[in-house]
Every structure is written in structure tokens, then in C-alpha cells.
Amino acid sequence: GPTNSWSQVEALAGEAFDWLANLGAPAALVAGAVLQTLSDEKDALRTYRSDRHWVKIAKRAAHLLLISSFALNILSIFSTTVTGTMLKSLGDRNVVEAAAETISPLGFMKSNYEFEYLTARITFLQGLLHWLGGIALMYAVPQDGQSQATRAMHEFIAAALFNLILLIITFYNGHTNFYKSYPDMLRVFVLSTFERYYGSGFRPMALLYAPASLYTFYLLHKALFVEADDDKRD
């Protein structure tokens, strides 16, 4: 049922604000690390006509993972900042009486602001996984002039990073709190996103972001599988 205690809601919202701030800070660090990776490895991410097909796909996938990691971390920073600002104005927006009664700050977020809660958690984790996955793919791709020893080390690093990704997901599955697993969190997030932006009445912005999303997926397919315009090696 709803709570009528402003002091309780204020305390929970304050703790939720602290949690959001603590989540946004590492997201900013990861975003900076991703930019550094993209700058340092821009030549390694280039594709060439002489590359084998799987190498081209792996390089493009690594590039995509790194760019998407940066975007996800920026979204994590943005969502935690905006949500935190919203929490600091609960009293003035007359929503205290409608707030569901909970005990923990994360329970407060999940019960009252599930979309924002999931956005903050998922964008940070996915951004981290995409960064690790992009680096792992770069090490998995053979480079010209590599010695056998260097190649063996790169294969080990790639395998170690992929195992780390699996370990992170496994660990996360046991700490999702309100959901069965991380895939279940993703399922709820997708449903919540469609409900928020497509199922709650007409939204003018939908006229822009719906076709923009479709066109972006078309460009993604084109970027991953184009063959004719690869760079020539110097």
C-alpha cells in the first residue's frame, strides 16, 4: 500500500540518490577507458581486402562493441543523473502519497521507478561487457607479422576476457535481487521500454525515433557485412 510518511520516503529517496551517484561514477571511468581504447587501437580495427571473412566480421564486431559500450556508459551517466535529480524533487511534485511502501532504497526504486532502475543497472553492466568483449575480439584476431609466441599470448588474453565476461554474468545472475536472472531483467526492461515509449499513448517523438531506429539497424547490417569498400593495406 502507499506510505503517507514523507520522512520515510525522503530517507529512501536519499539513499537511492546515493546509489545512483555511485553507479554513475564508474560508468564515467569506463566511458573514458573505452575512448582511450578506440584511440589506441584504431589501426587494429581497420579491415582490409586481404582479411579473411571471419576476421573482417570480428574487427567490425569489436568496433561496434566499443562504440556501443561508450554509448551505453553515457546513457548510464545520463539516466542516473536525471533520475537522481528527479528523486531530489519528490516533495514538490506531490507524489509522496502515491509512493509504494518499501524498506530498502533499491526496493523503493524498483517499486516506484522500475524503468529508471533497470536503465541504470543494465546500461552500466552492458557497457562494461561490451568493452571487455570488444577488447577480447581484438586480441582474438590475428595480426600481420605476429610471432607464434605473441599469437599464443593474444589467444590466451582473448579466452581469459571471454571467461571473465561469463564470470561477471554468472555472478550477476546470483545478485539480481528482484529478478530471476540477468536475462529476466533484460526481458522486463524491453517490455518496460515498449510500454513507456510505445504503449502509453501517442508520443510525437515516436515519429522520429521509431524510423530512426529502423534505419540505424539497416546501417548496422550494412556496416557488418559490406565487402566492396574495405581499405587497402599500405
Side-chain angles (χ1 to χ4, degrees), residues 18-51:
D18 293 338
W19 172 76
L20 289 166
N22 290 333
L23 193 61
L29 294 177
V30 174
V34 171
L35 283 182
Q36 187 63 48
T37 302
L38 284 168
S39 176
D40 292 343
E41 304 297 336
K42 58 183 179 181
D43 291 334
L45 294 171
R46 294 178 65 185
T47 55
Y48 301 96
R49 294 183 186 278
S50 59
D51 286 338

Side-chain angles (χ1 to χ4, degrees), residues 5-225:
S5 171
W6 162 240
S7 61
Q8 181 182 2
V9 172
E10 183 182 32
L12 291 172
E15 292 182 46
F17 175 87
D18 293 338
W19 172 76
L20 289 166
N22 290 333
L23 193 61
L29 294 177
V30 174
V34 171
L35 283 182
Q36 187 63 48
T37 302
L38 284 168
S39 176
D40 292 343
E41 304 297 336
K42 58 183 179 181
D43 291 334
L45 294 171
R46 294 178 65 185
T47 55
Y48 301 96
R49 294 183 186 278
S50 59
D51 286 338
R52 284 172 286 178
H53 181 70
W54 78 267
V55 171
K56 292 179 182 180
I57 297 298
K59 286 182 177 180
R60 291 166 182 164
H63 208 160
L64 174 65
L65 286 171
L66 292 173
I67 290 294
S68 61
S69 173
F70 176 73
L72 285 165
N73 279 288
I74 292 299
L75 182 55
S76 178
I77 297 168
F78 175 78
S79 63
T80 54
T81 301
V82 172
T83 303
T85 303
M86 178 188 66
L87 291 176
K88 288 298 186 180
S89 65
L90 288 182
D92 292 321
R93 292 190 292 112
N94 298 319
V95 296
V96 175
E97 294 295 331
E101 186 174 0
T102 60
I103 297 176
S104 69
L106 295 190
F108 174 81
M109 288 294 299
K110 196 268 180 185
S111 297
N112 297 287
Y113 303 102
E114 186 172 29
F115 174 73
E116 290 81 1
Y117 169 73
L118 289 173
T119 299
R121 292 193 65 177
I122 289 174
T123 53
F124 173 71
L125 178 61
Q126 279 299 137
L128 180 63
L129 295 179
H130 285 205
W131 179 44
L132 293 173
I135 295 176
L137 278 178
M138 286 194 301
Y139 276 103
V141 171
Q143 303 291 334
D144 287 342
Q146 274 186 332
S147 67
Q148 187 174 356
T150 300
R151 179 63 191 148
M153 178 59 70
H154 282 200
E155 289 176 344
F156 161 73
I157 293 173
L161 289 175
F162 281 125
N163 278 313
L164 177 60
I165 291 172
L166 294 177
L167 178 62
I168 289 174
I169 295 175
T170 301
F171 183 86
Y172 206 80
N173 279 335
H175 297 79
T176 53
N177 298 328
F178 306 111
Y179 306 93
K180 297 177 182 179
S181 62
Y182 184 55
D184 185 51
M185 282 182 65
L186 292 174
R187 179 188 64 82
V188 175
F189 177 65
V190 170
L191 294 176
S192 179
T193 300
F194 272 88
E195 175 63 25
R196 172 67 64 93
Y197 293 109
Y198 295 100
S200 57
F202 174 74
R203 289 175 175 266
M205 285 296 293
L207 298 176
L208 295 177
Y209 58 68
S213 298
L214 293 175
Y215 184 62
T216 300
F217 281 112
Y218 162 74
L219 292 177
L220 168 62
H221 179 272
K222 182 179 178 181
L224 286 175
F225 298 105

